[in-house]
Amino acid sequence: MNLRFNRLVGWLARRGVSLAGAAELSVRGRRSGQMQRVPVNPHRHADGQYLVSARGHSQWVRNMRAAGGGELRVGRKVRAFTAVELPDEEKLPVVRTYLKRWGWQVNEYFQGVTADSSDEEILAAAPDHPVFRIEIRN
């Protein structure tokens, strides 16, 4: 997604419109302490919900590691969550189904790895794409 499209998706999510399941992530900045916002594609796999960083070790990923959680927003619905980062060896099924669902939007960031790639190819790309399992707090 380019920056302009990111802004549009975030703007829509704040107003209650979710494009293909997108939401706005808010996570506390590790240096500023201010809430940072970015559109994300929450991904459901098996019995869990995940955030996959298509763009790698981005600012929201670094902030998530420090904060241990954040909020997902679509309109007035705000869901606070805690997050645990998956080790690389556990990412395979999540990344494969993420690419099946969101590949149309994120394939360019996976440098040729797609949902149809071999297990070995996806595992080789795993260190470049952090994955967090999120647990919604009530």
Side-chain angles (χ1 to χ4, degrees):
M1 271 192 282
N2 66 37
L3 184 58
R4 187 180 257 164
F5 187 69
N6 262 356
R7 287 184 180 151
L8 174 64
V9 171
W11 184 86
L12 288 170
R14 281 191 300 281
R15 282 150 184 82
V17 177
S18 174
L19 290 180
E24 183 178 66
L25 167 67
S26 294
V27 61
R28 189 159 310 281
R30 65 196 181 284
R31 293 186 182 141
S32 71
Q34 302 297 313
M35 293 301 275
Q36 306 296 313
R37 300 182 317 200
V38 63
V40 293
N41 299 321
H43 177 62
R44 184 159 294 285
H45 171 74
D47 63 343
Q49 191 165 6
Y50 299 87
L51 294 176
V52 177
S53 179
R55 293 186 179 196
H57 299 273
S58 62
Q59 291 298 322
W60 78 257
V61 168
R62 293 180 188 120
N63 291 336
M64 185 69 68
R65 288 173 177 149
E71 297 175 343
L72 290 174
R73 172 186 298 274
V74 176
R76 294 183 182 175
K77 184 176 182 181
V78 178
R79 298 174 296 152
F81 65 87
T82 57
V84 175
E85 189 168 2
L86 296 185
D88 292 339
E89 61 272 9
E90 293 179 19
K91 294 178 185 178
L92 175 63
V94 176
V95 171
R96 184 178 300 285
T97 58
Y98 176 82
L99 289 171
K100 282 181 184 173
R101 171 77 171 98
W102 297 102
W104 62 274
Q105 187 180 31
V106 301
N107 273 348
E108 68 182 285
Y109 303 113
F110 281 82
Q111 300 177 353
V113 174
T114 69
D116 296 324
S117 294
S118 70
D119 290 356
E120 292 76 20
E121 290 169 318
I122 293 175
L123 285 170
D128 296 330
H129 301 283
V131 176
F132 295 88
R133 180 181 175 104
I134 63 173
E135 296 289 335
I136 304 297
R137 297 186 301 221
N138 294 329

